[in-house]
Amino acid sequence: MASAMTDRTSRAGNTYTYTSRPRALPCQRRRYRDSFLQAEEEPVHYGNIMYDRRVIRGNTYALQTGQLAGQPDPLELQRRQQAKRRALARKRAQEQLRPRTPEPVEGRKHVDVQTELYLEEIADRVIEVDMECQTDAFLDRPATPLFIPAKTGKDVNTQILEGELFDFDLEVKPMLEVLVGKTIEQSLLEVMEEEELANLQAMQHAYEEIRNIELAEVQRLEEQERRHREEKERRKHQQWEIVNKHNETSQKIAARAFAQRYLADLLPSVFSSLRDSGYFYDPIERDIEIGFLPWLMNEVEKTMEYCMVGRTVLDMLIREVVERRLNMYENKDKHQSLKPEDMYGGPGTMRDPTVGYDFQEQSLSHTQRPLLDRDDPQRMSYGDPSQERKYMDEGELLGQSEETAIRKSTGKDELQ
Amino acid sequence: MAEARISMYLPPDINPTKAAIAYGCRALPKLNEELQSEVLTTRQKALMALCDLMHDPEYVYQAIDIGCLDSLKALLKDINDLVRIKATEVLCIMATHNVGRDGFLEHGIIPALSYLLDDANSICRENLHKAYKHLAQLPSGAQGIVSSGLIPSLVWKLQKEQGAVQELILDTLAYCLQEDATEALGSRVVPFLKQLLLSASDTIRAKAACTLMAVSIPLQGKNQVWEYGVIPILVHLLKDDMDEVQANAAGALTYAAVTTEGKYAALEAEAIDPLLDLLCSPVNKVRLNATKALTMLAEAPEGRRDLQSQVHIFRTLQEETTEVSTRRAAQIAIKVIEWKP
């Protein structure tokens, strides 16, 4: 069989081969209803080969082998032909059974007759009639008249009476409602917006008022603070000045008291020291001191010089005498002790060179003042040491030389 | 038959004087290009269309984003009157939006607009001042106007202009002076305001008093107000008919009377009696400002002496009023009047 089949295929002419890699076959059974997804998008269901109808199960030697798809089965062919013949036969039989008009009697013929109300001529020939027409040679073709088709049909009229079509008031209501409603809605919106704006403005104004008030308050408080502070500063300043002045005054008073006390004995002491220093002087006294007394002193000096000279001379005389007497006595008596004249002679000897020199000086300076006679009583008068001292002082003041001072002191010694 | 439904779309806007607005986001860029075109009618039509669009804040933002302000700045110098009028109108509408105001400050519109202060066309100037007024209501906008040095020219214009423009300038100045008043004080604003206080129009008087209030906040302003002798006029205005004028005059007096000289000037001008009358006014602002002014005057010893007999009015005010601010102001007033050193 298989070989017969293959022969048939090769006899058919076109060879058909089919190869494929082994693959699992998808199951054709659709599990779900027609889904909107494409078939490819669904997960491919692979069928179980054991349950596939195409796979032959069981033993194959006693199996009915069907024909291949393209090949008709000869048995099938035969059966089909038979069926056709039978159908034809049946049809012929039925034809015969159908009732027909009986055949015409002899000598007669069936004829078709029209039985309608109006007869119709049935002829092949068309009736022809020749007609001719001719337009007028000299006339223009008139305008085609307006084509008004003939009125056909039945005339019918109708009239719409009031209230038949629609009730205007009823119908217009929804439209009006919408119109008016929209308008009012729009206007309400606008009014609300304006109100909101007005509210905002009012709030702004209120805020500005409050802000102004607060600002004014702040400035007022600042101003107040400033005034108070300045006032405080001023008062503090005043107070400070008062305290300062107070301090100063007390200090001044204390200083004054102290100074007064200090100066209380300053004045007498000043005066006394000044007096002591000789700043207060009687001009006449001064004059006497400056003018008269130096001269006086000079004269006194001179006188004293003269005295000195006299004494020196006297001393010399005495010395001479004494020496002579000494010589005489020495020649006579050797235990003559010191005489008072020696004492005089001693210092006198020491004094001599100086006195002699000074005397010469004095005599040179005072040659013009012969005051020997006057000096003598004066010498007598100044026996007391205090007067001496005074003259000494004045002599110092007059700036006499040291030699005269020594002389004076030695003179004083002598007088003592 | 027409449908009974009302369409959600606006009726078709067919106006031959306006340029056609392109669809969607192309509208503004196309208008911007048209603004820069050479043809006059194109520019005018584009401006008219822009005026309509600028009412929407989103469009304003987009316009500023794509740089419409620069083309508008160029158009401000145009020769044609209508172009300038419409350009200023567009800027005025933009200034009503916050985005627009910020854009003004960023792109320096203020100096560009200031060239038009001397413009011949009055509508142009009116729009210009409206734009400035809207800008000045924002603190940073007021600062921008002050820092661009426009205050002296505005003060000068105050004298020149009339009517509605004067009111707009007064409003602008009031806001700007609250920011920084030094420049204005240097440009003799106080004498001008003094003249305006006596003007015939109610609104001008009210606005002039409001501006004066702003002027007298800084110390220099207070001194100038006292020097120019504005305080007697203010006292006179306290007896005015309009509430607004009374309230603003009382407010200006409040600030002017902070300094000692101001206080004594007000006392000399017999301010106490009109202020006491104002305390009975129905308008809250008037009462508030009058209370504050009387508080200032009560700081001075003479004022305190005069007001000590009137303390009961303040007490009734404190109890009856509904406003918190008025109550507090009355409380403070009573405290000041009854203070003993």
Side-chain angles (χ1 to χ4, degrees):
Chain A
M1 249 335 173
S3 58
M5 269 197 282
T6 48
D7 283 344
R8 222 173 276 134
T9 50
S10 60
R11 246 185 273 139
N14 43 347
T15 53
Y16 171 73
T17 55
Y18 176 71
T19 56
S20 83
R21 300 179 74 82
R23 57 182 171 91
L25 292 175
C27 167
Q28 297 297 329
R29 193 164 62 88
R30 284 206 295 263
R31 280 177 175 62
Y32 306 110
R33 271 178 282 182
D34 283 341
S35 61
F36 296 116
L37 298 170
Q38 297 296 323
E40 295 89 49
E41 291 172 14
E42 283 178 5
V44 183
H45 301 285
Y46 292 107
N48 198 344
I49 204 168
M50 301 301 289
Y51 298 104
D52 202 336
R53 282 194 211 132
R54 297 175 286 183
V55 176
I56 297 173
R57 299 178 57 85
N59 57 347
T60 52
Y61 17 92
L63 201 58
Q64 300 286 338
T65 53
Q67 285 291 99
L68 292 170
Q71 298 284 333
D73 199 11
L75 224 60
E76 276 288 324
L77 267 167
Q78 232 177 359
R79 249 184 259 136
R80 268 194 225 133
Q81 278 164 10
Q82 271 180 8
K84 265 187 223 154
R85 256 178 259 133
R86 253 182 254 138
L88 265 166
R90 217 179 293 135
K91 208 185 276 178
R92 235 179 280 127
Q94 281 202 347
E95 276 275 333
Q96 284 179 347
L97 287 172
R98 230 176 63 196
R100 294 174 189 274
T101 48
E103 295 287 335
V105 177
E106 273 210 34
R108 289 200 190 196
K109 214 169 67 167
H110 282 305
V111 167
D112 285 335
V113 164
Q114 293 184 2
T115 54
E116 291 95 17
L117 206 54
Y118 297 102
L119 290 171
E120 239 175 75
E121 191 182 329
I122 300 170
D124 281 339
R125 246 188 76 216
V126 179
I127 302 167
E128 289 175 25
V129 173
D130 287 329
M131 289 290 294
E132 53 176 53
C133 73
Q134 176 72 36
T135 54
D136 265 333
F138 304 105
L139 281 175
D140 285 330
R141 185 170 164 278
T144 321
L146 213 58
F147 173 64
I148 296 167
K151 197 157 84 65
T152 56
K154 195 171 159 189
D155 272 341
V156 176
N157 58 357
T158 177
Q159 171 75 10
I160 298 174
L161 299 169
E162 199 161 310
E164 275 188 9
L165 262 187
F166 58 84
D167 183 11
F168 177 72
D169 290 328
L170 218 63
E171 296 297 324
V172 89
K173 227 180 175 182
M175 254 195 274
L176 258 185
E177 270 178 23
V178 173
L179 270 175
V180 172
K182 280 281 176 193
T183 320
I184 291 185
E185 209 180 289
Q186 185 68 20
S187 49
L188 267 177
L189 275 172
E190 286 186 9
V191 165
M192 265 175 21
E193 280 182 12
E194 278 182 18
E195 216 173 283
E196 199 179 321
L197 277 176
N199 270 347
L200 280 174
Q201 277 269 30
M203 266 172 56
Q204 264 186 349
H205 282 313
Y207 166 74
E208 268 195 33
E209 272 174 34
I210 294 182
R211 194 211 20 189
N212 283 341
I213 293 301
E214 292 293 320
L215 199 60
E217 183 63 24
V218 162
Q219 286 190 342
R220 185 188 69 85
L221 286 172
E222 270 179 15
E223 183 66 25
Q224 205 186 37
E225 258 315 298
R226 190 188 64 90
R227 277 202 325 263
H228 285 177
R229 204 178 41 234
E230 275 188 10
E231 189 62 32
K232 270 191 220 158
E233 286 293 313
R234 235 179 290 140
R235 288 204 185 161
K236 266 201 316 206
H237 200 66
Q238 261 183 0
Q239 203 59 23
W240 190 75
E241 277 191 4
I242 286 173
V243 168
N244 249 12
K245 268 217 174 98
H246 196 73
N247 277 348
E248 235 180 274
T249 336
S250 65
Q251 270 182 2
K252 270 188 191 166
I253 290 172
R256 201 151 159 222
F258 177 72
Q260 260 184 355
R261 225 180 38 161
Y262 184 73
L263 294 175
D265 51 341
L266 181 69
L267 208 59
S269 73
V270 159
F271 274 128
S272 60
S273 65
L274 277 178
R275 204 176 298 123
D276 289 341
S277 332
Y279 283 104
F280 298 121
Y281 59 86
D282 196 13
I284 299 171
E285 236 181 84
R286 184 109 169 147
D287 189 38
I288 290 175
E289 274 175 28
I290 289 179
F292 177 62
L293 282 176
W295 169 82
L296 187 67
M297 291 308 295
N298 279 330
E299 295 304 315
V300 163
E301 229 183 283
K302 255 199 313 195
T303 319
M304 289 197 58
E305 285 299 314
Y306 292 150
C307 275
M308 292 296 160
V309 166
R311 279 194 208 146
T312 319
V313 169
L314 191 64
D315 282 343
M316 279 167 56
L317 282 174
I318 293 173
R319 198 192 165 97
E320 279 282 327
V321 166
V322 166
E323 274 182 6
R324 273 191 208 150
R325 275 199 192 165
L326 195 63
N327 290 333
M328 275 191 328
Y329 283 145
E330 271 180 357
N331 297 334
K332 273 187 191 183
D333 195 307
K334 282 247 174 149
H335 60 272
Q336 282 282 335
S337 58
L338 291 160
K339 277 193 185 166
E341 287 99 347
D342 279 55
M343 282 174 71
Y344 287 116
T349 49
M350 283 199 296
R351 217 180 44 225
D352 255 358
T354 56
V355 168
Y357 180 67
D358 285 347
F359 176 70
Q360 277 171 9
E361 273 190 54
Q362 288 281 345
S363 63
L364 278 167
S365 59
H366 293 295
T367 42
Q368 289 170 8
R369 292 193 198 171
L371 288 169
L372 267 166
D373 295 336
R374 235 184 286 154
D375 278 350
D376 279 316
Q378 279 187 355
R379 193 167 31 102
M380 298 283 189
S381 64
Y382 52 84
D384 45 328
S386 62
Q387 242 180 345
E388 264 290 325
R389 227 185 292 133
K390 210 194 264 183
Y391 286 129
M392 254 178 54
D393 285 346
E394 280 148 9
E396 277 172 18
L397 284 171
L398 293 170
Q400 287 185 344
S401 59
E402 238 179 82
E403 291 160 336
T404 49
I406 296 170
R407 210 178 333 118
K408 286 278 187 274
S409 60
T410 49
K412 194 172 70 173
D413 282 328
E414 193 191 4
L415 279 169
Q416 279 179 341
Chain B
M1 204 159 88
E3 281 185 5
R5 265 182 317 147
I6 293 185
S7 158
M8 291 304 296
Y9 301 107
L10 290 170
D13 187 21
I14 303 172
N15 187 346
T17 58
K18 281 205 302 200
I21 300 177
Y23 183 74
C25 62
R26 279 294 304 160
L28 279 171
K30 183 148 189 301
L31 279 178
N32 197 11
E33 286 159 19
E34 281 179 20
L35 280 177
Q36 293 160 357
S37 96
E38 303 290 328
V39 184
L40 181 65
T41 45
T42 318
R43 290 203 299 264
Q44 286 176 343
K45 286 179 13 179
L47 276 172
M48 306 266 322
L50 201 61
C51 271
D52 275 346
L53 284 181
M54 287 293 112
H55 287 281
D56 189 355
E58 306 230 347
Y59 278 131
V60 174
Y61 174 75
Q62 196 186 0
I64 295 179
D65 214 18
I66 60 176
C68 268
L69 283 177
D70 294 318
S71 14
L72 282 170
K73 265 204 282 196
L75 284 176
L76 283 175
K77 302 193 181 83
D78 200 289
I79 308 169
N80 185 287
D81 277 351
L82 182 65
V83 170
R84 284 202 310 271
I85 290 175
K86 278 291 158 189
T88 46
E89 196 179 320
V90 166
L91 286 173
C92 172
I93 299 174
M94 278 170 107
T96 57
H97 300 284
N98 207 15
V99 195
R101 288 194 283 260
D102 287 335
F104 275 24
L105 290 173
E106 273 169 40
H107 287 79
I109 296 289
I110 304 174
L113 274 177
S114 62
Y115 289 119
L116 290 178
L117 273 174
D118 300 320
D119 197 275
N121 197 314
S122 68
I123 306 179
C124 196
R125 286 200 306 265
E126 193 173 329
N127 288 338
L128 166 75
H129 285 293
K130 266 193 222 165
Y132 274 152
K133 177 189 156 182
H134 287 130
L135 191 58
Q137 284 176 328
L138 191 67
S140 47
Q143 192 64 38
I145 293 183
V146 168
S147 54
S148 61
L150 274 180
I151 307 279
S153 16
L154 279 177
V155 172
W156 194 62
K157 281 283 161 199
L158 189 63
Q159 247 200 337
K160 300 276 166 172
E161 300 276 5
Q162 298 296 326
V165 184
Q166 239 182 0
E167 291 177 19
L168 290 169
I169 301 181
L170 278 172
D171 274 331
T172 317
L173 276 178
Y175 290 118
C176 289
L177 291 178
Q178 274 171 358
E179 284 292 315
D180 182 14
T182 44
E183 275 193 21
L185 289 168
S187 50
R188 296 175 49 87
V189 70
V190 179
F192 293 160
L193 287 175
K194 188 174 153 188
Q195 284 169 14
L196 288 172
L197 281 177
L198 301 164
S199 101
S201 156
D202 287 338
T203 41
I204 289 197
R205 280 206 304 270
K207 288 185 201 286
C210 186
T211 316
L212 205 63
M213 199 157 78
V215 159
S216 48
I217 291 177
L219 183 61
Q220 204 191 356
K222 290 194 238 283
N223 290 338
Q224 276 202 3
V225 162
W226 174 67
E227 278 165 12
Y228 284 106
V230 188
I231 297 183
I233 305 181
L234 284 174
V235 174
H236 172 73
L237 280 181
L238 287 175
K239 305 174 195 130
D240 199 275
D241 293 326
M242 266 198 74
D243 294 329
E244 192 65 28
V245 177
Q246 285 173 344
N248 286 338
L253 262 179
T254 312
Y255 283 115
V258 171
T259 57
T260 320
E261 300 102 8
K263 272 199 252 286
Y264 280 104
L267 285 171
E268 275 167 38
E270 316 257 342
I272 295 191
D273 292 319
L275 284 172
L276 284 171
D277 291 330
L278 285 183
L279 279 180
C280 318
S281 153
V283 179
N284 184 46
K285 187 171 171 189
V286 175
R287 284 202 304 260
L288 201 58
N289 284 352
T291 319
K292 269 286 150 222
L294 283 170
T295 314
M296 293 291 166
L297 291 179
E299 291 273 331
E302 290 83 3
R304 193 175 289 126
R305 196 185 56 221
D306 291 335
L307 283 171
Q308 258 172 355
S309 51
Q310 314 288 340
V311 180
H312 59 278
I313 303 183
F314 287 106
R315 280 199 211 284
T316 47
L317 193 66
Q318 186 189 358
E319 276 138 34
E320 282 172 13
T321 186
T322 49
E323 298 278 328
V324 179
S325 47
T326 326
R327 205 179 304 145
R328 219 170 49 177
Q331 233 176 0
I332 295 176
I334 295 174
K335 200 170 71 162
V336 168
I337 294 178
E338 296 180 343
W339 181 73
K340 298 247 176 288

